[in-house]
Amino acid sequence: MAPGPFITVPSHLKPAGTSGPDLLAIERRKASFDTQQMAEYLHGKSFLERQAQLVELLSNDPVLEKSGLNYMGRTDKFRWALAKDKRLAVLAREHGWDRETANHAETLCDTPGPFGLHKSMFITTLDKMGTDEQRKAFLEPALRYEIIGCYAQTELGHGSNVQGLETTATYDESTQEFVLHSPTLTASKWWIGGLGRSATHAIVMARLVLKGKMGGPHPFVVPIRDPQTREMLPGCTIGDIGPKQGYQSTDNGFLLLDQVRIPHFNALARFAKIEADTAVYVPPKNAALTYGTLTWVRANIVRQAAMVLMRSVCVAVRYCAIRRQFADKDSPKFEGGKPIETQVLDYTMVQARIFPVLAKAFAFHYTAKYMFELYEQNVSGIDQGDLSLLAETHASSSGLKALTTIEAAESIETCRRACGGHGFSMASGLSSFYNDYLPNVTWEGDSYMLSQQTSRYLMKTARSIKADFDGPKRSFTVDYMRRYIRDPQAKADIEFSGDLLDPLMFIKAFGHRAAYLVQHALELRDGAAKRSWNSLLVELYRCSKAHSQALIVYNFGMAIFNDKELNSKPALRTVMQQLFLLYACHVMSEEGAEFMSSGYITPRQYHLLQGKAQEMQATIRPQAVALVDSFAIPDFLLNSALGRQDGRVYESLFDHAVRDPLNSTKWNVDIESDTLDMDGTLPKSHL
Amino acid sequence: MAPGPFITVPSHLKPAGTSGPDLLAIERRKASFDTQQMAEYLHGKSFLERQAQLVELLSNDPVLEKSGLNYMGRTDKFRWALAKDKRLAVLAREHGWDRETANHAETLCDTPGPFGLHKSMFITTLDKMGTDEQRKAFLEPALRYEIIGCYAQTELGHGSNVQGLETTATYDESTQEFVLHSPTLTASKWWIGGLGRSATHAIVMARLVLKGKMGGPHPFVVPIRDPQTREMLPGCTIGDIGPKQGYQSTDNGFLLLDQVRIPHFNALARFAKIEADTAVYVPPKNAALTYGTLTWVRANIVRQAAMVLMRSVCVAVRYCAIRRQFADKDSPKFEGGKPIETQVLDYTMVQARIFPVLAKAFAFHYTAKYMFELYEQNVSGIDQGDLSLLAETHASSSGLKALTTIEAAESIETCRRACGGHGFSMASGLSSFYNDYLPNVTWEGDSYMLSQQTSRYLMKTARSIKADFDGPKRSFTVDYMRRYIRDPQAKADIEFSGDLLDPLMFIKAFGHRAAYLVQHALELRDGAAKRSWNSLLVELYRCSKAHSQALIVYNFGMAIFNDKELNSKPALRTVMQQLFLLYACHVMSEEGAEFMSSGYITPRQYHLLQGKAQEMQATIRPQAVALVDSFAIPDFLLNSALGRQDGRVYESLFDHAVRDPLNSTKWNVDIESDTLDMDGTLPKSHL
């Protein structure tokens, strides 16, 4: 529960002018569509029902009360999150939640906790990579929380490059044990969520040493703490890695292993395995299968990015509809005869910053949907031995992970800044959200590195089309590349502003640009210059970005053509078309240099795009509050004085202020005095 | 002092491969110039000497020991900063520091404290706007810290727009008192540094009410807390506004005034004043004078932005020289016969992200220098009644404030991300730095709003040249606009990559682009379309940005031509030319869409610029560590495990980890248990 209040604010004082609630009510009446209908279209009825039930349950649970979080230091935040994770585990059991419901509850609580990796990577890995006996031994107690696990791959000196890991697992045939060992300081496992203070077990990725020969990495289940005493087991040095920019509530940890022996049984053995008697390594039958899981993880990242955009723009739009600043000299407004300041949301410079985020939320939404569909297709394809879709899906998912996480992080900050000074208060709800989201850009493959996987596929595809134009099987990528090669000098078919109304025009344009960039990079790599891969990383990054944007424009555009549910609801379809146009014009003019330098558009067409983007901002303006309402983000999740559904911004900021525990002390500012508070209990130096 | 250590790490373990210290030593040997000479050129010998003395003093003072800060919650951070500010006040007195030295010490301590606004705005305002009697009454005790002040302008509902303030100061002629009052909740003073828990006095900006008529804002000295008991004075409701994304160590506060009476004497009266007997408002003689101070403040912001870039890129460059990741398949490297991973600094994608920051640090440095020169010229000009420079200086300073703060904030994050996973640790030193720097984008005029002041001046200048080509007096702006109007169809004089070596080419190009954008906006505003100011804010923002970039390119380029000291040191001049070329090519290709869409450059020239930027990155690569060394940022300020001068990155990260107080508790993860630690002292719920 929030502390305080430590100060009493005169209750007769109200904010000046039209109240926040009234302003939002006025905005909500402007909508041309039904908010609830849009919410159901976006999220589905069952999601909304489940969310309502969960919010009811969670928001009334005293253990899960969030309003004190902003005032807590790191240790208290961790303590809160541990209590929360224990409570969620009990609730999940009591209510028989399936995994999706448990995840939804976790999302709503919105504070990464010590059991996060236990519930995701630890359990998933045991489930997917453990034999039946291993599942029985480890997965079952894990599901009952009798053991708490983590997933220890990253090392102090080694992140994305799994081949660079230093931790070794040397097989001792005489005892049929693996000896796990950290030979150096940089071999220490590092950043491992839940390891620092919580886990009893770790899945350790270590390089196999068999008969004195170093092999590749393999996962082992290693007991690290005594579940009863909580003491570190012999040979293990474990701790929390210290405070981070976000994720304060999680105990990311380190682990040094000093010749720790585990039985042969603890090497996960469902796919690759080591023969106990012969010490022979048996490789997995089909390495491609792991790509399936990866696609699913990345589809989730894209969906999460869409949710990030929705949440941040919801705060910015609602607050900017309430906040007023400066009078508009060209067209002054009045209230009760007095001149009033303009709603910040009416400034075109504010619109130009946050409405693209609004449109992008829908854009990412459709691509997340597409990724899940692809995942399903892949799964059934693999079941039937068809791996044809796999490479394309994997490549696209890498590029999308990079693009959407970078843009989502940027969008939170864009929205925070649009909230002006109050955006900097923790009460905005955007600061801790930003800091907790930020690692997404770096983990699961650093976004700037990861995009190379996309470009590598794009280069390969371009090469095979070059070798045999009709050879490669049709796909999104192959299609736009073939179209480009048929007519590399193609020009955008835009003469008047009205020509921009056709989504196909944008789909073609983004495909052309992506293909152009790939051909250009390929020429530098394979042509006379024979440039090294490293010297081309910037060009390759551009290829991946262009490909990902093309895919997003394609999915958004095709939804407008083909999405049956959307097309059956004209009011939704109309606003969605406007959002598409805003998104496409915005991105195309943002990337204008590439479109112009490829010769695809002229300066005049570039100006038309800019003009249309601004026109669409004005069109979206009256719908903005209703659109963010349709994202259906409950106040419990939003946790924002600025973005709250009822618009009581200023009252809520005051409430946040008077509860700060700093207000409970009278401080001693006398520079001659050696104490820091008026009671004289806080000495001057050292903490 | 840092707590702990709570865990012991085996001391025989070392990082793998060549050590950080050795790697940095190798890098340092690559430099083509003398680091110390560059440092002296950049900062001046006296600055470096003063810094060395201060670091020696401060880093050995136990009260100022910073290594525990990352582990502290908000209240402890505030307590630390209060102790620090008290200590600095005593040291300043003991050592007889002048203001510059005191500021330097403050900068080195790098933690905004409760006396920050007392030392800056409170004292400056009393000094500049107080009469001699008022200075005696308020300034003198303030300088002795007998009273602690703050500057209360911003209100809960009103930020940048001073005309919108709601707090009133009604003059009561009968008692010759002003009655200060907050009529609404939104009238509450808000965000005021030092007000929350520390200040005894506030300079309150309030709207004058004279004989029942509402006038403009005026500053008043208002006693708000009893200096002895620290109780709020009658009529004052005061508190801290609660935690923020950064600035945790400062007590930004709120203040509600309920009919608080102060004597007529407390209205600051050096310029504008109110006659005590007649209640007549006497306006200031010369409003332009205030622009002088503003220019000085903004020149400082530009200088600070340069320092921000230096500090963040110093961390990134040193760490990326030590960090290795992935082997380069095209040209594998070996150490002792074994293949080794590539230094991250060798990846062109990393170079493309952080070397432009490196070059920009120098670019901003020269423009800060120029701004201070302009300020001096203005001051002596004003003394002689010459106000001609004022408008241009003020306009440029607004645009530069906007551009440099936005880019500095972005650069910290760019550098943090280039540090990969470890960039997210508080041990990077970049996270708290980012969060504390961030408000610069919003305060002193929101950067997105403020740029309108620049564009307004640009539009006005363009109009007067249009009206009378030879009329306006020469200035930077007038010059590039005239050049444009003489030949609006001018094209860049670039045929070969070698043509890019001429700084003048870039100076002309950036001037042309700025003038083009202004003419374009002017046409929309004054031409047939008669567009409203609000509808043009995006275009106007672009004008301001283009103008500011033109100024930065101009100052950097001219330094290479004209700076005598630089030209007397060939080794420095050579690397500076490379940095200029990198900066100019980078920005010009970043802004390529505008250069192309104005018809000034062709797609081919755009590709030449991109190529040259990459070429310059490779040229700068071997100089990078030496260049960041030349920024002369002491470890005491840097406070970074990743960026430390000696390169002991991994040892330092471990040290940061084992000291986290979270490691001092054994936590209870049993979901059935109601306590959270193994001693059973922490109950499950509520904090």
Side-chain angles (χ1 to χ4, degrees):
Chain A
M1 213 172 59
F6 303 101
I7 299 163
T8 311
V9 175
S11 59
H12 68 277
L13 289 175
K14 305 280 172 251
T18 312
S19 73
D22 286 349
L23 278 167
L24 288 188
I26 294 166
E27 291 293 336
R28 284 168 176 144
R29 281 197 294 273
K30 293 180 189 168
S32 67
F33 63 93
D34 181 68
T35 303
Q36 183 61 25
Q37 196 180 49
M38 180 66 98
E40 285 172 14
Y41 168 65
L42 283 177
H43 299 297
K45 242 183 175 156
S46 64
F47 174 94
L48 294 174
E49 281 166 10
R50 186 176 67 202
Q51 176 163 278
Q53 286 163 5
L54 284 173
V55 168
E56 173 69 18
L57 179 74
L58 305 174
S59 65
N60 289 303
D61 190 318
V63 176
L64 305 178
E65 162 67 48
K66 293 185 206 181
S67 58
L69 273 169
N70 282 342
Y71 310 107
M72 294 179 199
R74 207 233 148 163
T75 302
D76 284 341
K77 278 204 177 108
F78 175 75
R79 190 190 341 176
W80 187 92
L82 177 57
K84 182 243 339 171
D85 274 6
K86 286 164 75 158
R87 183 78 186 134
L88 284 181
V90 171
L91 286 174
R93 190 179 57 194
E94 278 176 9
H95 295 268
W97 287 343
D98 59 16
R99 184 155 175 190
E100 217 177 330
T101 308
N103 284 345
H104 199 162
E106 180 86 41
T107 301
L108 289 167
C109 288
D110 189 41
T111 313
F115 295 173
L117 270 281
H118 171 83
K119 288 183 272 190
S120 54
M121 283 300 278
F122 187 67
I123 280 178
T124 308
T125 309
L126 291 175
D127 191 25
K128 303 238 167 195
M129 302 182 73
T131 60
D132 290 348
E133 298 74 29
Q134 288 174 327
R135 284 170 161 176
K136 199 171 167 57
F138 304 119
L139 179 59
E140 290 183 12
L143 289 169
R144 293 189 300 266
Y145 289 87
E146 289 161 14
I147 63 174
I148 303 292
C150 61
Y151 183 84
Q153 177 169 309
T154 302
E155 296 178 358
L156 179 59
H158 311 274
S160 305
N161 183 16
V162 184
Q163 299 306 323
L165 295 180
E166 293 186 66
T167 305
T168 51
T170 307
Y171 189 55
D172 181 345
E173 290 165 68
S174 66
T175 60
Q176 300 209 339
E177 287 172 320
F178 286 97
V179 185
L180 280 102
H181 188 62
S182 318
T184 66
L185 200 66
T186 38
S188 178
K189 294 297 173 184
W190 201 270
W191 279 114
I192 314 306
L195 166 61
R197 307 307 300 155
S198 311
T200 59
H201 288 68
I203 291 174
V204 172
M205 287 295 280
R207 300 184 67 177
L208 276 173
V209 182
L210 299 176
K211 298 179 192 261
K213 266 184 73 180
M214 182 81 86
H218 191 89
F220 300 86
V221 179
V222 184
I224 54 169
R225 271 194 188 90
D226 184 309
Q228 263 63 54
T229 66
R230 312 280 309 140
E231 293 290 348
M232 299 185 275
L233 293 180
C236 298
T237 305
I238 317 172
D240 182 276
I241 63 162
K244 299 139 291 184
Q245 181 164 349
Y247 265 69
Q248 302 290 22
S249 45
T250 298
D251 54 330
N252 296 81
F254 67 84
L255 167 65
L256 280 164
L257 296 157
D258 184 11
Q259 313 283 359
V260 171
R261 289 184 165 257
I262 54 170
H264 174 270
F265 179 77
N266 286 23
L268 291 180
R270 185 145 178 220
F271 300 110
K273 62 186 160 203
I274 302 96
E275 301 282 6
D277 299 323
T278 60
V280 167
Y281 178 74
V282 186
K285 289 213 182 89
N286 192 347
L289 287 176
T290 50
Y291 287 118
T293 318
L294 217 53
T295 308
W296 186 81
V297 169
R298 294 205 179 126
N300 265 306
I301 289 180
V302 178
R303 177 155 70 184
Q304 193 195 1
M307 296 298 291
V308 164
L309 298 174
M310 291 180 184
R311 179 167 162 191
S312 34
V313 80
C314 176
V315 172
V317 163
R318 284 184 184 155
Y319 174 66
C320 290
I322 292 168
R323 180 71 173 183
R324 294 175 179 281
Q325 190 82 277
F326 287 105
D328 186 340
K329 281 171 198 156
D330 281 351
S331 56
K333 292 187 185 67
F334 298 88
E335 197 172 276
K338 281 188 196 162
I340 51 163
E341 293 181 301
T342 307
Q343 282 171 289
V344 170
L345 198 58
D346 284 332
Y347 287 109
T348 55
M349 189 65 208
V350 171
Q351 293 171 5
R353 286 148 68 201
I354 65 177
F355 286 175
V357 178
L358 182 62
K360 201 177 278 182
F362 289 92
F364 284 12
H365 165 79
Y366 284 112
T367 288
K369 219 171 135 182
Y370 163 84
M371 292 290 292
F372 280 107
E373 284 162 17
L374 261 190
Y375 169 72
E376 299 296 342
Q377 281 179 41
N378 264 310
V379 168
S380 60
I382 292 167
D383 283 351
Q384 292 153 36
D386 175 9
L387 304 180
S388 62
L389 263 173
L390 219 53
E392 168 117 358
T393 307
H394 175 69
S396 291
S397 80
S398 303
L400 285 171
K401 186 274 176 186
L403 181 83
T404 59
T405 55
I406 290 173
E407 297 202 347
E410 192 181 290
S411 296
I412 305 173
E413 174 60 10
T414 298
C415 291
R416 191 196 65 72
R417 281 193 201 170
C419 296
H422 296 319
F424 193 62
S425 167
M426 291 298 282
S428 73
L430 294 177
S431 295
S432 50
F433 181 41
Y434 177 77
N435 286 329
D436 283 348
Y437 181 73
L438 211 43
N440 280 280
V441 174
T442 306
W443 69 26
E444 299 283 343
D446 178 276
S447 291
Y448 302 93
M449 300 281 279
L450 193 62
S451 56
Q452 291 181 59
Q453 304 201 12
T454 314
S455 340
R456 200 166 281 130
Y457 170 78
L458 296 174
M459 299 280 268
K460 211 176 127 187
T461 308
R463 272 192 202 109
S464 46
I465 295 177
K466 203 175 173 187
D468 174 9
F469 188 82
D470 293 313
K473 208 176 146 183
R474 280 194 63 187
S475 72
F476 170 73
T477 310
V478 169
D479 281 3
Y480 75 65
M481 286 191 179
R482 279 212 193 102
R483 190 196 299 268
Y484 173 84
I485 288 176
R486 271 201 209 101
D487 184 9
Q489 305 304 324
K491 310 277 174 218
D493 188 15
I494 316 170
E495 196 168 342
F496 306 105
S497 171
D499 296 333
L500 299 173
L501 294 173
D502 178 13
L504 264 186
M505 190 282 292
F506 289 102
I507 293 173
K508 278 188 214 160
F510 277 84
H512 186 276
R513 164 196 172 222
Y516 165 80
L517 290 172
V518 174
Q519 289 301 329
H520 182 70
L522 192 67
E523 173 60 29
L524 293 173
R525 178 79 172 143
D526 292 358
K530 288 257 174 282
R531 292 260 300 268
S532 72
W533 184 260
N534 181 25
S535 79
L536 286 172
L537 290 179
V538 174
E539 283 81 359
L540 294 167
Y541 180 75
R542 286 197 193 109
C543 293
S544 169
K545 189 177 178 189
H547 172 81
S548 306
Q549 287 176 333
L551 197 54
I552 294 170
V553 167
Y554 174 81
N555 289 321
F556 200 169
M558 291 316 275
I560 287 168
F561 284 123
N562 291 337
D563 188 299
K564 280 201 190 114
E565 195 182 343
L566 182 65
N567 281 289
S568 73
K569 301 191 166 87
L572 302 195
R573 190 180 192 277
T574 302
V575 70
M576 202 62 82
Q577 272 180 300
Q578 293 161 349
L579 288 161
F580 171 78
L581 200 48
L582 171 54
Y583 175 73
C585 290
H586 171 78
V587 178
M588 198 160 163
S589 42
E590 286 277 293
E591 308 288 348
E594 286 181 4
F595 284 98
M596 274 187 280
S597 69
S598 69
Y600 194 74
I601 64 169
T602 63
R604 204 186 137 265
Q605 291 170 327
Y606 171 70
H607 288 130
L608 277 179
L609 286 163
Q610 287 188 316
K612 188 56 112 183
Q614 285 210 34
E615 190 189 319
M616 282 303 109
Q617 283 158 26
T619 308
I620 289 299
R621 166 63 188 91
Q623 318 275 12
V625 170
L627 283 169
V628 302
D629 283 349
S630 78
F631 296 153
I633 304 164
D635 277 348
F636 180 71
L637 175 59
L638 213 52
N639 201 16
S640 168
L642 308 185
R644 44 189 292 154
Q645 217 258 343
D646 68 5
R648 289 172 54 83
V649 168
Y650 295 116
E651 299 88 335
S652 185
L653 282 170
F654 248 110
D655 187 60
H656 190 257
V658 296
R659 291 181 186 280
D660 190 334
L662 202 65
N663 285 318
S664 65
T665 302
K666 265 193 268 167
W667 301 87
N668 180 347
V669 297
D670 178 3
I671 65 166
E672 316 296 343
S673 163
D674 266 352
T675 62
L676 292 171
D677 66 340
M678 296 306 288
D679 299 334
T681 53
L682 300 175
K684 185 167 188 168
S685 53
H686 317 304
L687 284 165
Chain B
M1 214 172 57
F6 303 102
I7 299 164
T8 310
V9 175
S11 60
H12 68 277
L13 289 175
K14 305 283 172 250
T18 311
S19 73
D22 287 348
L23 278 167
L24 288 188
I26 294 166
E27 290 293 337
R28 283 167 178 146
R29 282 198 294 274
K30 292 181 188 166
S32 67
F33 63 94
D34 181 68
T35 302
Q36 182 62 22
Q37 195 180 51
M38 179 67 97
E40 284 173 16
Y41 168 65
L42 282 176
H43 298 298
K45 241 183 177 158
S46 65
F47 174 94
L48 295 174
E49 281 165 10
R50 187 176 67 201
Q51 176 162 279
Q53 285 162 7
L54 285 173
V55 168
E56 173 69 19
L57 179 75
L58 305 174
S59 64
N60 288 303
D61 191 318
V63 177
L64 305 177
E65 163 68 47
K66 293 185 203 180
S67 58
L69 273 168
N70 282 342
Y71 310 107
M72 294 180 199
R74 207 231 149 165
T75 302
D76 284 341
K77 278 206 179 104
F78 175 75
R79 188 188 346 172
W80 186 92
L82 177 57
K84 183 242 340 170
D85 274 6
K86 287 165 75 158
R87 182 78 186 133
L88 284 181
V90 171
L91 286 174
R93 190 178 58 193
E94 279 176 9
H95 294 269
W97 287 344
D98 59 16
R99 184 154 175 192
E100 217 176 329
T101 308
N103 283 345
H104 199 162
E106 180 87 41
T107 301
L108 289 167
C109 287
D110 190 41
T111 313
F115 295 174
L117 271 279
H118 171 83
K119 288 184 273 190
S120 54
M121 283 300 278
F122 187 66
I123 280 179
T124 309
T125 308
L126 291 175
D127 190 26
K128 304 238 166 193
M129 303 183 73
T131 61
D132 290 347
E133 298 75 26
Q134 288 174 327
R135 282 169 164 179
K136 201 173 165 57
F138 303 119
L139 179 59
E140 291 184 11
L143 288 170
R144 292 188 300 266
Y145 289 88
E146 289 161 15
I147 63 174
I148 304 292
C150 62
Y151 183 84
Q153 177 170 308
T154 302
E155 295 177 356
L156 179 60
H158 311 274
S160 306
N161 184 16
V162 184
Q163 301 304 324
L165 294 181
E166 292 186 67
T167 306
T168 51
T170 307
Y171 189 54
D172 181 344
E173 289 162 70
S174 66
T175 59
Q176 301 209 338
E177 286 173 322
F178 287 97
V179 185
L180 280 103
H181 188 62
S182 319
T184 66
L185 200 66
T186 38
S188 177
K189 294 297 173 185
W190 202 269
W191 280 112
I192 314 305
L195 166 62
R197 307 307 300 154
S198 311
T200 58
H201 288 68
I203 291 174
V204 173
M205 287 296 280
R207 300 185 67 176
L208 276 172
V209 182
L210 299 176
K211 298 178 191 265
K213 266 184 71 179
M214 182 81 85
H218 191 88
F220 300 86
V221 179
V222 185
I224 54 169
R225 272 195 187 90
D226 184 309
Q228 263 64 55
T229 66
R230 312 280 309 139
E231 293 289 349
M232 298 184 276
L233 293 180
C236 298
T237 305
I238 318 172
D240 182 276
I241 62 164
K244 299 141 292 186
Q245 182 163 350
Y247 265 70
Q248 302 290 23
S249 45
T250 299
D251 54 328
N252 296 81
F254 67 85
L255 167 65
L256 281 163
L257 296 156
D258 185 10
Q259 311 284 359
V260 171
R261 289 184 166 257
I262 55 171
H264 173 269
F265 179 78
N266 287 21
L268 291 180
R270 185 145 179 219
F271 299 109
K273 60 186 162 204
I274 303 97
E275 301 280 8
D277 299 325
T278 60
V280 168
Y281 178 75
V282 185
K285 288 213 181 86
N286 192 347
L289 288 178
T290 50
Y291 286 118
T293 318
L294 217 53
T295 308
W296 187 81
V297 169
R298 294 206 180 127
N300 266 306
I301 289 179
V302 178
R303 178 155 69 185
Q304 193 195 1
M307 297 297 291
V308 164
L309 299 175
M310 290 180 185
R311 180 168 164 190
S312 35
V313 80
C314 176
V315 172
V317 163
R318 285 183 184 157
Y319 175 68
C320 289
I322 292 167
R323 180 72 172 182
R324 294 176 179 279
Q325 190 83 275
F326 287 105
D328 186 339
K329 282 172 199 154
D330 281 350
S331 55
K333 290 187 186 67
F334 297 88
E335 197 172 275
K338 280 188 197 164
I340 52 165
E341 293 181 303
T342 306
Q343 283 170 289
V344 170
L345 197 58
D346 284 331
Y347 286 109
T348 56
M349 189 66 208
V350 171
Q351 294 171 4
R353 286 148 68 201
I354 64 177
F355 287 175
V357 177
L358 181 63
K360 201 178 278 180
F362 289 92
F364 284 11
H365 165 78
Y366 285 111
T367 287
K369 220 172 136 182
Y370 164 85
M371 292 289 292
F372 280 108
E373 284 162 16
L374 262 189
Y375 168 73
E376 298 296 339
Q377 283 179 41
N378 263 310
V379 168
S380 60
I382 292 167
D383 283 351
Q384 293 153 35
D386 175 9
L387 304 180
S388 61
L389 265 172
L390 220 54
E392 168 116 359
T393 307
H394 175 69
S396 291
S397 81
S398 304
L400 285 171
K401 187 273 177 187
L403 181 81
T404 59
T405 56
I406 290 173
E407 297 202 347
E410 192 180 291
S411 296
I412 305 174
E413 173 61 10
T414 297
C415 291
R416 192 197 64 72
R417 279 192 204 173
C419 297
H422 296 319
F424 192 62
S425 166
M426 291 298 281
S428 73
L430 294 177
S431 295
S432 50
F433 181 41
Y434 177 78
N435 285 329
D436 283 348
Y437 182 73
L438 212 45
N440 280 279
V441 174
T442 306
W443 70 26
E444 300 282 343
D446 178 276
S447 291
Y448 304 91
M449 300 281 279
L450 192 63
S451 56
Q452 290 181 59
Q453 303 202 13
T454 314
S455 343
R456 201 167 278 128
Y457 170 78
L458 296 174
M459 299 280 268
K460 211 175 126 186
T461 307
R463 271 191 203 110
S464 45
I465 295 176
K466 202 175 174 185
D468 174 9
F469 187 82
D470 293 313
K473 208 176 143 183
R474 281 192 64 186
S475 72
F476 170 73
T477 310
V478 169
D479 281 3
Y480 76 64
M481 286 189 177
R482 279 213 193 101
R483 190 198 299 268
Y484 174 84
I485 288 176
R486 271 202 210 101
D487 184 9
Q489 304 305 323
K491 309 279 174 219
D493 188 15
I494 317 171
E495 196 168 342
F496 305 105
S497 170
D499 296 333
L500 298 173
L501 294 173
D502 177 14
L504 264 186
M505 188 283 291
F506 289 101
I507 292 174
K508 278 188 212 160
F510 277 85
H512 186 277
R513 165 197 172 218
Y516 165 81
L517 289 172
V518 174
Q519 290 300 330
H520 181 70
L522 193 68
E523 174 59 32
L524 293 172
R525 177 79 172 145
D526 293 359
K530 289 255 174 284
R531 291 262 298 267
S532 72
W533 184 260
N534 181 25
S535 79
L536 286 172
L537 289 179
V538 174
E539 283 82 358
L540 293 167
Y541 180 75
R542 285 195 194 110
C543 294
S544 169
K545 189 177 178 190
H547 172 80
S548 307
Q549 286 177 333
L551 197 54
I552 293 170
V553 167
Y554 174 81
N555 290 321
F556 200 170
M558 291 316 273
I560 287 168
F561 284 123
N562 293 337
D563 188 299
K564 280 202 190 112
E565 196 184 342
L566 182 65
N567 281 288
S568 73
K569 299 188 168 89
L572 303 195
R573 190 180 192 275
T574 302
V575 70
M576 203 63 84
Q577 271 180 299
Q578 293 161 351
L579 288 161
F580 171 78
L581 199 50
L582 170 54
Y583 175 73
C585 290
H586 172 78
V587 179
M588 198 159 163
S589 42
E590 285 279 291
E591 308 289 348
E594 285 179 7
F595 284 98
M596 275 186 280
S597 70
S598 69
Y600 194 74
I601 64 169
T602 63
R604 203 186 138 265
Q605 291 170 327
Y606 170 70
H607 288 130
L608 277 180
L609 287 163
Q610 287 187 317
K612 188 57 114 184
Q614 285 210 34
E615 189 188 319
M616 282 303 109
Q617 283 157 26
T619 308
I620 289 299
R621 165 66 188 87
Q623 317 275 12
V625 170
L627 283 169
V628 303
D629 282 349
S630 78
F631 295 154
I633 304 165
D635 277 348
F636 181 71
L637 174 60
L638 213 52
N639 202 15
S640 167
L642 307 185
R644 45 189 291 155
Q645 216 258 342
D646 68 4
R648 288 172 56 83
V649 167
Y650 295 116
E651 298 87 335
S652 185
L653 282 170
F654 248 109
D655 187 62
H656 190 257
V658 296
R659 292 180 186 282
D660 190 333
L662 201 65
N663 285 317
S664 66
T665 302
K666 265 191 269 165
W667 302 88
N668 181 346
V669 297
D670 178 2
I671 66 166
E672 316 296 342
S673 165
D674 265 352
T675 61
L676 291 171
D677 65 341
M678 296 307 288
D679 299 334
T681 54
L682 300 175
K684 186 164 185 169
S685 54
H686 314 308
L687 285 164

